Amino acid sequence: MSKLNSRMIWVTFQRAGIHHYPGAPEDVSYLRYPHRHIFKFKVSIDVLHENREIEFHQFLNWLESLFTKGTLTLDYQSCEMISDNLYEKIQNEYPGRKVIIEISEDGECGSVSEYIPE
């Protein structure tokens, strides 16, 4: 019989946002200017037992409440920076848990950040 290493739940949501990349290389210089994406989030978090003490829908509702309604103004933040900021909020609410955050721009390009508590 296999030993379970970890158990996680995940939720997804999306928000429209505007950002820019001031240091974009010349061949993608258009990224230096504010542009809009649909930022797609997938957030996974450790759960401590098989009866899911973090309910999917409550976790999703809480995450969505962290982002204002309407279009997000993200300035120069990359997907990785957005992940880091979101992780800090998750750790304040659910301390000591492994978290994986995936954020994409329009479902085309994105980042995956895995956070392991100390």
Side-chain angles (χ1 to χ4, degrees):
M1 184 167 154
S2 298
K3 181 179 178 186
L4 180 64
N5 186 40
S6 74
R7 187 182 312 270
M8 303 183 88
I9 62 165
W10 57 265
V11 298
T12 64
F13 63 99
Q14 62 185 35
R15 288 287 188 269
I18 296 174
H19 74 162
H20 65 284
Y21 177 19
E26 193 57 42
D27 62 323
V28 288
S29 61
Y30 54 88
L31 296 175
R32 297 175 189 163
Y33 305 97
H35 54 279
R36 181 183 183 274
H37 291 291
I38 299 297
F39 289 91
K40 298 184 179 206
F41 296 76
K42 180 177 180 182
V43 180
S44 303
I45 187 169
D46 269 340
V47 290
L48 304 178
H49 56 73
E50 73 277 0
N51 201 16
R52 199 179 324 122
E53 89 285 0
I54 301 174
E55 165 49 47
F56 295 138
H57 298 281
Q58 289 175 322
F59 188 53
L60 175 61
N61 292 341
W62 177 75
L63 286 169
E64 288 181 320
S65 77
L66 299 176
F67 297 90
T68 59
K69 299 289 182 194
T71 303
L72 302 176
T73 303
L74 299 166
D75 298 319
Y76 60 86
Q77 290 184 62
S78 65
C79 292
E80 296 87 344
M81 291 174 184
I82 298 165
S83 289
D84 289 347
N85 291 334
L86 180 54
Y87 173 71
E88 287 181 29
K89 292 174 179 152
I90 293 169
Q91 278 304 297
N92 286 336
E93 187 73 15
Y94 300 97
R97 298 175 191 248
K98 177 180 174 183
V99 175
I100 300 171
I101 301 173
E102 299 178 34
I103 301 178
S104 75
E105 296 175 348
D106 310 309
E108 181 180 48
C109 303
S111 70
V112 177
S113 300
E114 182 175 339
Y115 304 91
I116 300 172
E118 296 179 1

